[in-house]
Amino acid sequence: MISDYILLALDNLKHRGIRSWLTMLGIFIGIAAVVSLISLGQGLQEAITGQFASLSTDKLTIQSASSGYGPPGAGAARKLNEHDVNLIKSVDGVNMVVPRLIRVGKVEYNKVAEFDYIASMPDDREQIDMIYAAINVKVDSGRLIDVGDRGKIVLGSNFLKNDNFGKPLKTGSSLKIQGKNYEVVGILKASSTMQVNMAILMNEKDMKDALGIGDETDIIVAQVENEKEINDVASRIEDKMRKDRKEKKGEEDFSVQTPVKALGTVNLILNIINLIVTGIAAISLVVGGIGIMNTMYTSVLERTKEIGIMKAIGARNSDVMKIFLIESGLLGLVGGVVGAVIGLLLAFGVSGAANAAFGSVILKVTLSWPLLLMSISFSLIIGIVSGISPAIQASKLKPVDALRK
Amino acid sequence: MGEIINLKGVAKHYKMGENIVKALDGIDIKINKGDFVAIMGPSGSGKSTGMNLVGSLDLPTKGAIYLDGKDISKMHESDLAQVRGKKIGFIFQSFNLIPNLTAKENIMLPMLFQNVDEDDRDRRAEELLKLVDLIDRKDHYPNQLSGGQQQRVAIARSLANDPEVILADEPTGNLDTKTGENVMKFLNKLNEEGKTIIMVTHDPDKAQRHSRIVYWLKDGKIEKVTKKVNGKWKVVKRY
């Protein structure tokens, strides 16, 4: 029986054609905004947080103040070295310290030369495991650099994708770095961290030899014993290094970064974006609901006579109510489905554009069925709720009065 | 023949600003099963109000209306709708088909409201379309049908739930003479098959040509009741 009423309602909606679609506009916008935002939200968060090199809640990053992210420039600031590593190691609450190098080197393959980022991997079991855990990389082919792997390198995903050398690279290829040959033992899967995708990973001893680096380090990663005390440990490191370098507070030529701080800022921004889009979505859903209500009221007026006829041929108040509620529910439902599709297309479009612009899989779309089902049922509910009042009005019409129209 | 409709002292008053308009002012109408009754009167005589009351589309201000022995004058609209849908079939002057439903769907609609299941509805609608000779037009929409065809669909629709009473309000008012005559012949045929027909009209000629009892209404009151006996009209009651 209910299916007959649904067919009846569909008939009516089709009959009104363009007006039905216009009615659903508000719902389209609202649901599309919600779906695209949430589908992108997780990817966006991953993309942003992924840019923070070793973003675990128990790790601190110490850098020379001038260097910032990426390779250190020709900053005047004093470079970090073995002495600093030992200094940090001696700070209370520090568990493990890993010095790392990130430099640019000349890379040759197939007689084509270019300059690429090279990042060192520690030659120590515990340390290398910690770094792998922190940067969270997986191989697409081959294997990762292991302890004692001399003369071997692992390439970031961009090397596979960008055919800069005019000849595809693969596991087993031989690459010349700073004039010396290295065997490619693995190629990484695309990571959400852009720097990793662009880099060549190699043993730190190899790297020091190849680039002629002495007692220097670019980044020091310090793992704390208790992540709850990470801020205390950070200030202890700052104190100790300041004292060691005889620097005043505020004039340091180094920086100690707590990832939590950075993450907090990112989350704040994301939350503000979320709030704004949710606000827009909420407003358009309310407007959409009012639009449905308005259309249904108009429909009651237009179809007063029809309601009278239906009552004359035996429609109860509840039947008339059913017809109108199903119609407004369908407006909400179809609006929700179309809105969800638009939202997904939008999400894939934005992510595709971002990925194309950055040349790596930076913004992933998370397709969540519960989200889709929830937003579609929510719009169905909006439709039904908006239809209640017009439906009651329709069902209460007296047959004589309605027929006279 | 038992009685099917009985109006006892029925009045309908409307408030028009400060005045009370007495559209119907105490009328008695008794209709037996199988009758062909005409309710005749000029405009403003209260015949439309009378038809609405007989058809249970409206409730009286005073008096009682018995439909098949049951007083419907104080029933709730929703119960009334069920009774109406089952016992009374309506034919209107302006056909009143639902414009965005096909001929067949229009005929199926009253059965939907009586919870008849799909197969039976389908079968019955086809049957009725054959009866009114419109089976080849079953998927046409009302605006694709001529007036006469639309009225035949409306007749088929009125028969959908096999009601005891067919209530026709100026059924030929919007039709040309020839088409109107065919519709009337059809109503006569239904009457011969046992249906009670009540026709509301302003045309005394039409009233007397097809029906057997005529209630003559004037100013909200029944003036007289005439009956055809052996081909001649006799006044059986004068007020």
Side-chain angles (χ1 to χ4, degrees):
Chain A
M1 284 302 143
I2 195 80
S3 62
D4 295 305
Y5 286 94
I6 292 173
L7 286 179
L8 205 60
L10 270 177
D11 248 357
N12 282 326
L13 293 180
K14 261 192 289 181
H15 200 69
R16 272 178 281 153
I18 188 95
R19 274 197 285 163
S20 296
W21 291 106
L22 285 175
T23 302
M24 290 185 279
L25 208 60
I27 303 289
F28 290 166
I29 295 168
I31 294 295
V34 172
V35 167
S36 60
L37 178 80
I38 298 181
S39 299
L40 279 178
Q42 209 178 327
L44 197 62
Q45 191 149 12
E46 271 173 27
I48 293 174
T49 53
Q51 304 313 311
F52 292 79
S54 57
L55 194 74
S56 317
T57 45
D58 64 342
K59 289 178 194 71
L60 292 164
T61 312
I62 299 101
Q63 280 177 285
S64 191
S66 64
S67 61
Y69 287 111
R78 198 184 327 167
K79 292 236 157 68
L80 297 168
N81 56 25
E82 190 67 27
H83 170 72
D84 296 306
V85 172
N86 289 327
L87 198 72
I88 293 165
K89 235 181 238 172
S90 70
V91 172
D92 245 12
V94 173
N95 184 31
M96 196 196 301
V97 178
V98 183
R100 293 196 71 196
L101 290 163
I102 298 171
R103 295 286 164 99
V104 172
K106 188 181 176 194
V107 179
E108 287 167 87
Y109 181 66
N110 193 32
K111 298 201 176 79
V112 179
E114 65 171 31
F115 286 89
D116 287 307
Y117 290 123
I118 304 168
S120 72
M121 293 307 291
D123 203 12
D124 173 283
R125 168 61 47 208
E126 266 189 11
Q127 291 188 1
I128 204 168
D129 286 347
M130 184 191 105
I131 295 298
Y132 279 137
I135 62 178
N136 188 26
V137 289
K138 290 182 182 70
V139 284
D140 185 58
S141 64
R143 60 174 177 84
L144 293 170
I145 289 278
D146 204 355
V147 176
D149 260 339
R150 304 296 296 265
K152 313 227 184 312
I153 52 169
V154 165
L155 303 177
S157 61
N158 282 10
F159 288 89
L160 195 63
K161 218 175 64 188
N162 306 348
D163 194 18
N164 289 351
F165 299 106
K167 183 177 163 190
L169 280 156
K170 55 178 191 289
T171 308
S173 301
S174 184
L175 212 64
K176 204 176 261 181
I177 298 174
Q178 299 286 115
K180 214 178 142 194
N181 280 315
Y182 293 87
E183 186 199 345
V184 177
V185 293
I187 295 173
L188 298 176
K189 272 189 184 156
S191 156
S192 56
T193 314
M194 277 188 288
Q195 293 97 314
V196 173
N197 293 337
M198 297 188 287
I200 297 171
L201 303 182
M202 72 194 294
N203 182 287
E204 66 180 6
K205 289 189 182 111
D206 273 355
M207 185 164 167
K208 280 191 173 178
D209 290 349
L211 292 157
I213 302 165
D215 182 17
E216 263 177 34
T217 183
D218 297 325
I219 292 176
I220 300 174
V221 179
Q223 189 184 37
V224 298
E225 278 165 2
N226 184 349
E227 59 181 82
K228 286 190 190 112
E229 289 171 13
I230 193 155
N231 289 323
D232 298 337
V233 177
S235 51
R236 279 205 287 275
I237 292 174
E238 275 175 7
D239 283 346
K240 200 153 193 173
M241 285 183 70
R242 211 160 26 223
K243 215 173 283 172
D244 181 62
R245 292 173 176 226
K246 299 186 179 65
E247 287 169 353
K248 281 189 203 132
K249 206 172 169 125
E251 290 175 5
E252 300 92 341
D253 58 0
F254 64 91
S255 71
V256 179
Q257 272 194 308
T258 60
V260 183
K261 235 189 262 171
L263 190 59
T265 315
V266 170
N267 280 336
L268 185 70
I269 295 168
L270 282 180
N271 285 340
I272 291 171
I273 296 174
N274 271 337
L275 212 65
I276 293 170
V277 179
T278 310
I280 294 170
I283 291 168
S284 35
L285 286 177
V286 169
V287 172
I290 294 171
I292 291 182
M293 204 185 283
N294 183 36
T295 300
M296 294 312 293
Y297 270 123
T298 316
S299 174
V300 172
L301 286 182
E302 281 174 356
R303 284 152 69 197
T304 302
K305 178 140 197 182
E306 212 173 288
I307 295 165
I309 298 167
M310 289 200 284
K311 287 197 153 190
I313 62 174
R316 284 157 294 195
N317 290 2
S318 60
D319 295 325
V320 174
M321 184 128 166
K322 241 186 272 176
I323 290 169
F324 277 81
L325 276 186
I326 290 173
E327 266 187 51
S328 63
L330 275 177
L331 282 174
L333 184 71
V334 176
V337 171
V338 176
V341 171
I342 294 175
L344 280 181
L345 290 179
L346 214 62
F348 279 111
V350 168
S351 120
N355 293 345
F358 288 101
S360 68
V361 183
I362 180 165
L363 198 52
K364 269 189 299 189
V365 175
T366 357
L367 205 151
S368 145
W369 288 107
L371 162 73
L372 291 181
L373 284 180
M374 259 170 57
S375 39
I376 290 169
S377 7
F378 185 65
S379 53
L380 171 66
I381 291 168
I382 289 180
I384 293 174
V385 169
S386 312
I388 288 175
S389 163
I392 290 175
Q393 195 191 335
S395 75
K396 286 218 169 126
L397 284 171
K398 279 202 201 151
V400 226
D401 300 336
L403 272 173
R404 210 173 288 145
K405 287 283 156 78
Chain B
M1 288 281 183
E3 76 169 43
I4 179 82
I5 287 170
N6 194 346
L7 276 67
K8 284 186 173 167
V10 167
K12 182 76 191 179
H13 298 171
Y14 295 103
K15 236 186 176 159
M16 287 276 238
E18 304 240 315
N19 308 324
I20 288 176
V21 178
K22 294 177 176 173
L24 278 180
D25 196 12
I27 60 164
D28 300 297
I29 296 178
K30 199 173 126 190
I31 297 166
N32 287 329
K33 281 183 187 163
D35 274 352
F36 196 134
V37 176
I39 297 173
M40 226 301 296
S43 68
S45 62
K47 65 177 189 312
S48 291
T49 308
M51 188 211 77
N52 290 338
L53 289 170
V54 171
S56 72
L57 290 170
D58 203 356
L59 295 174
T61 316
K62 258 193 279 187
I65 300 171
Y66 294 92
L67 178 63
D68 214 5
K70 219 160 135 194
D71 186 4
I72 58 165
S73 56
K74 283 169 190 74
M75 267 192 180
H76 186 263
E77 163 56 28
S78 267
D79 303 321
L80 219 50
Q82 274 292 294
V83 173
R84 193 193 300 141
K86 210 176 302 175
K87 306 224 163 177
I88 302 171
F90 287 90
I91 299 168
F92 301 95
Q93 177 175 4
S94 49
F95 326 131
N96 282 353
L97 298 173
I98 308 276
N100 50 345
L101 296 181
T102 63
K104 187 174 166 187
E105 286 166 341
N106 262 292
I107 298 170
M108 286 166 79
L109 200 56
M111 294 185 266
L112 174 65
F113 298 136
Q114 298 294 330
N115 299 325
V116 176
D117 66 45
E118 166 119 44
D119 290 348
D120 291 343
R121 266 186 281 152
D122 199 271
R123 200 170 34 77
R124 175 84 177 139
E126 301 249 340
E127 223 174 81
L128 289 167
L129 278 163
K130 276 179 206 148
L131 185 73
V132 295
D133 205 17
L134 281 174
I135 191 73
D136 55 333
R137 295 275 193 280
K138 66 176 175 179
D139 294 324
H140 287 219
Y141 288 91
N143 62 7
Q144 299 168 318
L145 298 171
S146 71
Q149 288 170 331
Q150 286 190 56
Q151 195 59 305
R152 270 142 70 197
V153 173
I155 292 171
R157 181 181 66 182
S158 75
L159 293 167
N161 288 321
D162 198 17
E164 312 205 19
V165 181
I166 302 285
L167 197 53
D169 180 14
E170 303 272 13
T172 61
N174 280 3
L175 301 174
D176 62 69
T177 320
K178 196 172 158 239
T179 322
E181 207 48 44
N182 284 336
V183 166
M184 287 315 299
K185 267 186 201 151
F186 200 84
L187 288 179
N188 277 120
K189 198 174 134 224
L190 287 174
N191 180 243
E192 278 156 27
E193 285 164 6
K195 292 265 180 252
T196 311
I197 313 270
I198 303 167
M199 179 174 70
V200 176
T201 180
H202 68 279
D203 180 353
D205 214 41
K206 209 160 261 167
Q208 292 186 319
R209 195 134 45 92
H210 299 280
S211 65
R212 284 195 298 276
I213 300 167
V214 181
Y215 284 80
W216 301 77
L217 248 68
K218 201 182 175 188
D219 299 331
K221 287 189 174 125
I222 295 170
E223 211 176 20
K224 60 181 179 184
V225 184
T226 58
K227 196 170 179 178
K228 200 191 239 172
V229 185
N230 298 326
K232 286 193 176 156
W233 286 95
K234 282 185 178 168
V235 177
V236 290
K237 205 166 184 182
R238 195 183 288 274
Y239 292 83

PDB file of all heavy atoms in Angstrom, chain A residues 3 10 25 45 50 85 94 131 147 191 212 229 256 260 320 331 348 377 379 385 394 397:
ATOM      1  N   SER A   3       3.734   1.675  -0.994  1.00  0.00           N
ATOM      2  CA  SER A   3       4.431   1.889  -2.267  1.00  0.00           C
ATOM      3  C   SER A   3       3.534   2.634  -3.251  1.00  0.00           C
ATOM      4  O   SER A   3       4.007   3.424  -4.066  1.00  0.00           O
ATOM      5  CB  SER A   3       4.877   0.558  -2.849  1.00  0.00           C
ATOM      6  OG  SER A   3       3.751  -0.236  -3.114  1.00  0.00           O
ATOM      7  N   LEU A  10       5.516  10.551  -6.129  1.00  0.00           N
ATOM      8  CA  LEU A  10       6.507  10.748  -7.185  1.00  0.00           C
ATOM      9  C   LEU A  10       5.871  11.384  -8.415  1.00  0.00           C
ATOM     10  O   LEU A  10       6.435  12.280  -9.036  1.00  0.00           O
ATOM     11  CB  LEU A  10       7.128   9.405  -7.567  1.00  0.00           C
ATOM     12  CG  LEU A  10       8.379   8.997  -6.798  1.00  0.00           C
ATOM     13  CD1 LEU A  10       8.845   7.617  -7.232  1.00  0.00           C
ATOM     14  CD2 LEU A  10       9.502  10.006  -6.986  1.00  0.00           C
ATOM     15  N   LEU A  25      17.118  22.818  -3.737  1.00  0.00           N
ATOM     16  CA  LEU A  25      18.414  23.493  -3.838  1.00  0.00           C
ATOM     17  C   LEU A  25      19.098  23.663  -2.482  1.00  0.00           C
ATOM     18  O   LEU A  25      20.282  23.359  -2.322  1.00  0.00           O
ATOM     19  CB  LEU A  25      18.213  24.857  -4.502  1.00  0.00           C
ATOM     20  CG  LEU A  25      19.399  25.396  -5.280  1.00  0.00           C
ATOM     21  CD1 LEU A  25      19.795  24.464  -6.395  1.00  0.00           C
ATOM     22  CD2 LEU A  25      19.091  26.778  -5.826  1.00  0.00           C
ATOM     23  N   GLN A  45      43.384  16.910   7.553  1.00  0.00           N
ATOM     24  CA  GLN A  45      44.112  16.850   8.813  1.00  0.00           C
ATOM     25  C   GLN A  45      45.386  16.027   8.644  1.00  0.00           C
ATOM     26  O   GLN A  45      46.455  16.431   9.076  1.00  0.00           O
ATOM     27  CB  GLN A  45      43.215  16.226   9.877  1.00  0.00           C
ATOM     28  CG  GLN A  45      43.780  16.351  11.274  1.00  0.00           C
ATOM     29  CD  GLN A  45      42.666  16.461  12.295  1.00  0.00           C
ATOM     30  OE1 GLN A  45      41.507  16.229  11.981  1.00  0.00           O
ATOM     31  NE2 GLN A  45      42.996  16.816  13.508  1.00  0.00           N
ATOM     32  N   GLY A  50      50.805  15.649   8.500  1.00  0.00           N
ATOM     33  CA  GLY A  50      51.854  14.853   7.861  1.00  0.00           C
ATOM     34  C   GLY A  50      53.068  15.687   7.501  1.00  0.00           C
ATOM     35  O   GLY A  50      54.172  15.176   7.351  1.00  0.00           O
ATOM     36  N   VAL A  85      74.281  16.811  20.559  1.00  0.00           N
ATOM     37  CA  VAL A  85      73.611  15.520  20.701  1.00  0.00           C
ATOM     38  C   VAL A  85      73.857  14.960  22.099  1.00  0.00           C
ATOM     39  O   VAL A  85      72.922  14.543  22.794  1.00  0.00           O
ATOM     40  CB  VAL A  85      74.100  14.532  19.616  1.00  0.00           C
ATOM     41  CG1 VAL A  85      73.547  13.134  19.874  1.00  0.00           C
ATOM     42  CG2 VAL A  85      73.724  15.019  18.229  1.00  0.00           C
ATOM     43  N   VAL A  94      65.015  12.537  28.799  1.00  0.00           N
ATOM     44  CA  VAL A  94      65.229  12.216  27.391  1.00  0.00           C
ATOM     45  C   VAL A  94      65.604  10.743  27.279  1.00  0.00           C
ATOM     46  O   VAL A  94      66.477  10.253  27.993  1.00  0.00           O
ATOM     47  CB  VAL A  94      66.337  13.092  26.773  1.00  0.00           C
ATOM     48  CG1 VAL A  94      66.667  12.618  25.358  1.00  0.00           C
ATOM     49  CG2 VAL A  94      65.901  14.540  26.760  1.00  0.00           C
ATOM     50  N   ILE A 131      62.867   6.135  13.801  1.00  0.00           N
ATOM     51  CA  ILE A 131      62.648   7.050  12.674  1.00  0.00           C
ATOM     52  C   ILE A 131      61.575   6.483  11.732  1.00  0.00           C
ATOM     53  O   ILE A 131      60.657   7.184  11.305  1.00  0.00           O
ATOM     54  CB  ILE A 131      63.961   7.304  11.898  1.00  0.00           C
ATOM     55  CG1 ILE A 131      64.970   8.028  12.789  1.00  0.00           C
ATOM     56  CG2 ILE A 131      63.700   8.110  10.626  1.00  0.00           C
ATOM     57  CD1 ILE A 131      64.535   9.396  13.279  1.00  0.00           C
ATOM     58  N   VAL A 147      70.047  -1.291   9.039  1.00  0.00           N
ATOM     59  CA  VAL A 147      71.322  -0.995   9.700  1.00  0.00           C
ATOM     60  C   VAL A 147      72.452  -1.649   8.892  1.00  0.00           C
ATOM     61  O   VAL A 147      72.322  -2.794   8.447  1.00  0.00           O
ATOM     62  CB  VAL A 147      71.294  -1.536  11.143  1.00  0.00           C
ATOM     63  CG1 VAL A 147      72.637  -1.319  11.821  1.00  0.00           C
ATOM     64  CG2 VAL A 147      70.178  -0.875  11.923  1.00  0.00           C
ATOM     65  N   SER A 191      53.748   9.049   0.394  1.00  0.00           N
ATOM     66  CA  SER A 191      53.460   9.345   1.791  1.00  0.00           C
ATOM     67  C   SER A 191      52.726  10.674   1.859  1.00  0.00           C
ATOM     68  O   SER A 191      52.774  11.475   0.928  1.00  0.00           O
ATOM     69  CB  SER A 191      54.777   9.426   2.557  1.00  0.00           C
ATOM     70  OG  SER A 191      54.626  10.220   3.703  1.00  0.00           O
ATOM     71  N   GLY A 212      80.802  14.897   2.224  1.00  0.00           N
ATOM     72  CA  GLY A 212      81.915  15.462   2.969  1.00  0.00           C
ATOM     73  C   GLY A 212      81.479  16.256   4.183  1.00  0.00           C
ATOM     74  O   GLY A 212      81.904  17.382   4.400  1.00  0.00           O
ATOM     75  N   GLU A 229      55.363  14.660  30.024  1.00  0.00           N
ATOM     76  CA  GLU A 229      56.315  15.673  30.503  1.00  0.00           C
ATOM     77  C   GLU A 229      57.036  16.354  29.349  1.00  0.00           C
ATOM     78  O   GLU A 229      58.037  17.037  29.556  1.00  0.00           O
ATOM     79  CB  GLU A 229      57.352  15.011  31.422  1.00  0.00           C
ATOM     80  CG  GLU A 229      56.784  14.580  32.759  1.00  0.00           C
ATOM     81  CD  GLU A 229      57.777  13.739  33.553  1.00  0.00           C
ATOM     82  OE1 GLU A 229      58.970  13.713  33.171  1.00  0.00           O
ATOM     83  OE2 GLU A 229      57.342  13.118  34.532  1.00  0.00           O
ATOM     84  N   VAL A 256      63.522  24.471  19.820  1.00  0.00           N
ATOM     85  CA  VAL A 256      63.042  23.157  20.247  1.00  0.00           C
ATOM     86  C   VAL A 256      61.543  23.133  19.961  1.00  0.00           C
ATOM     87  O   VAL A 256      60.796  23.945  20.486  1.00  0.00           O
ATOM     88  CB  VAL A 256      63.291  22.939  21.749  1.00  0.00           C
ATOM     89  CG1 VAL A 256      62.769  21.573  22.179  1.00  0.00           C
ATOM     90  CG2 VAL A 256      64.773  23.066  22.062  1.00  0.00           C
ATOM     91  N   VAL A 260      53.202  18.788  19.728  1.00  0.00           N
ATOM     92  CA  VAL A 260      51.865  19.012  20.274  1.00  0.00           C
ATOM     93  C   VAL A 260      51.438  20.450  20.027  1.00  0.00           C
ATOM     94  O   VAL A 260      50.307  20.729  19.666  1.00  0.00           O
ATOM     95  CB  VAL A 260      51.850  18.714  21.777  1.00  0.00           C
ATOM     96  CG1 VAL A 260      50.465  18.869  22.337  1.00  0.00           C
ATOM     97  CG2 VAL A 260      52.385  17.324  22.039  1.00  0.00           C
ATOM     98  N   VAL A 320      -4.666  11.585   3.156  1.00  0.00           N
ATOM     99  CA  VAL A 320      -4.218  12.860   2.580  1.00  0.00           C
ATOM    100  C   VAL A 320      -2.895  13.270   3.223  1.00  0.00           C
ATOM    101  O   VAL A 320      -1.945  13.688   2.565  1.00  0.00           O
ATOM    102  CB  VAL A 320      -5.284  13.957   2.798  1.00  0.00           C
ATOM    103  CG1 VAL A 320      -4.765  15.309   2.324  1.00  0.00           C
ATOM    104  CG2 VAL A 320      -6.562  13.590   2.061  1.00  0.00           C
ATOM    105  N   LEU A 331      11.123  14.898  -1.265  1.00  0.00           N
ATOM    106  CA  LEU A 331      11.912  16.093  -1.613  1.00  0.00           C
ATOM    107  C   LEU A 331      13.202  16.098  -0.802  1.00  0.00           C
ATOM    108  O   LEU A 331      14.288  16.344  -1.325  1.00  0.00           O
ATOM    109  CB  LEU A 331      11.115  17.368  -1.336  1.00  0.00           C
ATOM    110  CG  LEU A 331      10.052  17.757  -2.360  1.00  0.00           C
ATOM    111  CD1 LEU A 331       9.252  18.949  -1.866  1.00  0.00           C
ATOM    112  CD2 LEU A 331      10.689  18.084  -3.695  1.00  0.00           C
ATOM    113  N   PHE A 348      36.221  14.832  -4.277  1.00  0.00           N
ATOM    114  CA  PHE A 348      37.184  14.206  -5.181  1.00  0.00           C
ATOM    115  C   PHE A 348      37.834  15.258  -6.078  1.00  0.00           C
ATOM    116  O   PHE A 348      39.028  15.176  -6.381  1.00  0.00           O
ATOM    117  CB  PHE A 348      36.508  13.119  -6.032  1.00  0.00           C
ATOM    118  CG  PHE A 348      36.369  11.816  -5.296  1.00  0.00           C
ATOM    119  CD1 PHE A 348      35.127  11.337  -4.901  1.00  0.00           C
ATOM    120  CD2 PHE A 348      37.503  11.057  -4.992  1.00  0.00           C
ATOM    121  CE1 PHE A 348      35.002  10.138  -4.210  1.00  0.00           C
ATOM    122  CE2 PHE A 348      37.385   9.866  -4.312  1.00  0.00           C
ATOM    123  CZ  PHE A 348      36.134   9.402  -3.920  1.00  0.00           C
ATOM    124  N   SER A 377      19.662  10.362   5.600  1.00  0.00           N
ATOM    125  CA  SER A 377      18.489  10.211   6.477  1.00  0.00           C
ATOM    126  C   SER A 377      18.157  11.536   7.152  1.00  0.00           C
ATOM    127  O   SER A 377      16.986  11.821   7.393  1.00  0.00           O
ATOM    128  CB  SER A 377      18.665   9.119   7.534  1.00  0.00           C
ATOM    129  OG  SER A 377      19.933   8.595   7.571  1.00  0.00           O
ATOM    130  N   SER A 379      18.450  14.493   5.811  1.00  0.00           N
ATOM    131  CA  SER A 379      17.684  15.333   4.886  1.00  0.00           C
ATOM    132  C   SER A 379      16.275  14.779   4.701  1.00  0.00           C
ATOM    133  O   SER A 379      15.317  15.540   4.531  1.00  0.00           O
ATOM    134  CB  SER A 379      18.407  15.476   3.549  1.00  0.00           C
ATOM    135  OG  SER A 379      18.718  14.216   3.023  1.00  0.00           O
ATOM    136  N   VAL A 385       9.757  16.617   8.427  1.00  0.00           N
ATOM    137  CA  VAL A 385       9.396  17.608   9.455  1.00  0.00           C
ATOM    138  C   VAL A 385       8.819  18.870   8.807  1.00  0.00           C
ATOM    139  O   VAL A 385       7.800  19.402   9.260  1.00  0.00           O
ATOM    140  CB  VAL A 385      10.628  17.943  10.329  1.00  0.00           C
ATOM    141  CG1 VAL A 385      10.359  19.142  11.213  1.00  0.00           C
ATOM    142  CG2 VAL A 385      10.998  16.739  11.190  1.00  0.00           C
ATOM    143  N   ALA A 394      -3.578  20.279   4.886  1.00  0.00           N
ATOM    144  CA  ALA A 394      -4.256  19.611   3.779  1.00  0.00           C
ATOM    145  C   ALA A 394      -5.281  18.605   4.294  1.00  0.00           C
ATOM    146  O   ALA A 394      -6.411  18.536   3.805  1.00  0.00           O
ATOM    147  CB  ALA A 394      -3.231  18.907   2.900  1.00  0.00           C
ATOM    148  N   LEU A 397      -8.714  19.944   5.577  1.00  0.00           N
ATOM    149  CA  LEU A 397      -9.661  20.621   4.689  1.00  0.00           C
ATOM    150  C   LEU A 397     -10.985  19.870   4.675  1.00  0.00           C
ATOM    151  O   LEU A 397     -11.022  18.655   4.607  1.00  0.00           O
ATOM    152  CB  LEU A 397      -9.101  20.664   3.270  1.00  0.00           C
ATOM    153  CG  LEU A 397      -7.999  21.675   2.979  1.00  0.00           C
ATOM    154  CD1 LEU A 397      -7.436  21.417   1.593  1.00  0.00           C
ATOM    155  CD2 LEU A 397      -8.519  23.089   3.097  1.00  0.00           C
TER     156      LEU A 397
END
